[in-house]
Amino acid sequence: QLQLVESGGGLVQPGGSLRLSCAASGETFRRYPIGWFRQAPGKEREGVSCISSSGTGTHYTDSAKGRFTISRDNAKNTVYLQMNSLKPEDTAIYYCATNINYCSGYRPEDFDTWGQGTQVTVSS
């Protein structure tokens, strides 16, 4: 069974950077588009970014556009999220998930397998 594991979270100051990784185990996920979500305390989970199975197509929600970059290395079964110019409002648990509808949106029904999440905290 496909399993996703996020890593790379941590504590950073405002304006700092982090690179998150989403790695598959048990099965390659090269066939799947992959999305990143985040969930802050007391708030609903929201979509952040999505990347096509080949890596040539990317999408960002407004909160991430211009600051975050999604990429993937299918040989390593890994998707990355480079986060720059971090703000306190970026503080959340970040999750990756397989997408089954071509990164057409962030509807729950379009995402299947989820990782356990990695904590990102942006604070001075």
Side-chain angles (χ1 to χ4, degrees):
Q1 179 176 316
L2 178 66
Q3 182 174 299
L4 302 181
V5 178
E6 301 95 336
S7 62
L11 173 64
V12 297
Q13 294 183 329
S17 298
L18 285 173
R19 188 176 79 158
L20 307 183
S21 297
C22 171
S25 62
E27 180 186 351
T28 179
F29 66 1
R30 65 172 64 95
R31 71 176 64 188
Y32 295 108
I34 299 293
W36 283 98
F37 289 75
R38 66 186 184 185
Q39 187 166 25
K43 300 184 68 175
E44 293 186 351
R45 190 171 298 184
E46 64 175 348
V48 176
S49 185
C50 194
I51 188 167
S52 67
S53 59
S54 69
T56 60
T58 59
H59 177 268
Y60 304 91
T61 55
D62 287 343
S63 63
K65 193 177 303 180
R67 300 188 299 127
F68 296 0
T69 302
I70 191 169
S71 62
R72 69 190 297 160
D73 184 343
N74 282 341
K76 297 181 178 180
N77 292 331
T78 302
V79 168
Y80 305 96
L81 184 68
Q82 178 68 44
M83 305 188 296
N84 299 326
S85 302
L86 285 163
K87 306 173 182 178
E89 51 263 45
D90 295 318
T91 296
I93 301 175
Y94 283 71
Y95 302 88
C96 62
T98 56
N99 174 262
I100 58 173
N101 200 21
Y102 309 103
C103 289
S104 61
Y106 297 92
R107 297 165 295 184
E109 60 265 33
D110 290 336
F111 293 84
D112 187 24
T113 300
W114 294 77
Q116 84 291 341
T118 185
Q119 177 71 50
V120 172
T121 302
V122 185
S123 177
S124 59

